[in-house]
Amino acid sequence: MDIFLEKIVRRKKTAVDGVVIASIILSALIIIMFVGSLPFLAAFSPLIIVGIGYLGYIFIRNRNVEYEYIVTNGDLDIDMIIAQRKRKRVFSGNCKDFEVVAKMTSGQFNNNTDSIKKRINAVTTMNSPDVYFLTTVKDGSKVLVFFEPHPKMIESFKKYIPRKVFE
């Protein structure tokens, strides 16, 4: 019997998102004032203002990010969904290749995992109590992935790699 599980989590806005959104709005307003002050663009200024407003809207909307976790027979795929329109695969791997799958509070996160440079944060926030991590080797380098799986996904991993899953 095939196993197919999926979960979608929405990334929470951070202070960086607030600064980026504020800078987009401020930049759009400055550009609109500059375009309005040029007399030779007076005929096209309404069209230019609408275009700048639309671009600002698109850039702000692209700050809405969701992550979709898909587990199919021991294969984990993590997709990043931007503004509910664009999808990008950020991680794909088989659980048999994972070195460890553990909850952040399990005590398995130590200096060895802390020194891994390549990291994928696919969580709502790192302060969430449901954050798990996994380590694996991908393209010749170690990768550390943070994610928030459904409990059934962890049970599925336990079927394939019981000695490598910690809660």
Side-chain angles (χ1 to χ4, degrees):
M1 188 168 145
D2 289 338
I3 297 172
F4 178 78
L5 303 166
E6 65 181 351
K7 180 180 179 182
I8 296 179
V9 296
R10 181 181 300 267
R11 187 186 75 187
K12 291 185 180 176
K13 299 257 194 270
T14 62
V16 173
D17 289 322
V19 169
V20 169
I21 290 171
S23 66
I24 290 171
I25 292 171
L26 185 63
S27 299
L29 291 176
I30 290 171
I31 292 170
I32 287 172
M33 288 190 320
F34 177 73
V35 168
S37 68
L38 298 175
F40 62 90
L41 291 178
F44 299 110
S45 63
L47 183 62
I48 293 171
I49 290 171
V50 169
I52 292 169
Y54 181 72
L55 283 175
Y57 168 76
I58 293 296
F59 288 143
I60 290 171
R61 189 148 184 248
N62 283 344
R63 301 302 297 177
N64 296 330
V65 175
E66 298 174 337
Y67 295 100
E68 181 179 34
Y69 316 128
I70 303 168
V71 176
T72 309
N73 296 330
D75 291 329
L76 173 65
D77 297 320
I78 300 177
D79 294 341
M80 180 171 58
I81 303 168
I82 301 168
Q84 296 180 341
R85 288 183 294 144
K86 293 186 271 184
R87 177 181 296 264
K88 179 182 175 187
R89 173 88 18 107
V90 292
F91 178 79
S92 182
N94 190 302
C95 70
K96 293 179 182 178
D97 298 331
F98 299 164
E99 295 173 357
V100 65
V101 177
K103 200 167 194 172
M104 286 293 292
T105 57
S106 70
Q108 294 293 318
F109 193 78
N110 54 29
N111 291 338
N112 293 338
T113 53
D114 198 28
S115 65
I116 298 174
K117 301 279 187 246
K118 188 171 181 184
R119 295 169 178 240
I120 300 172
N121 291 339
V123 295
T124 56
T125 179
M126 286 301 291
N127 298 329
S128 175
D130 301 325
V131 174
Y132 279 74
F133 73 94
L134 67 87
T135 59
T136 187
V137 176
K138 200 82 164 154
D139 298 328
S141 63
K142 277 196 153 198
V143 178
L144 179 63
V145 179
F146 297 101
F147 66 118
E148 296 177 74
H150 192 275
K152 289 182 180 179
M153 292 178 181
I154 297 299
E155 293 300 319
S156 171
F157 291 149
K158 281 183 182 178
K159 290 179 184 176
Y160 292 99
I161 51 171
R163 291 183 198 96
K164 296 180 181 180
V165 177
F166 304 94
E167 292 189 64

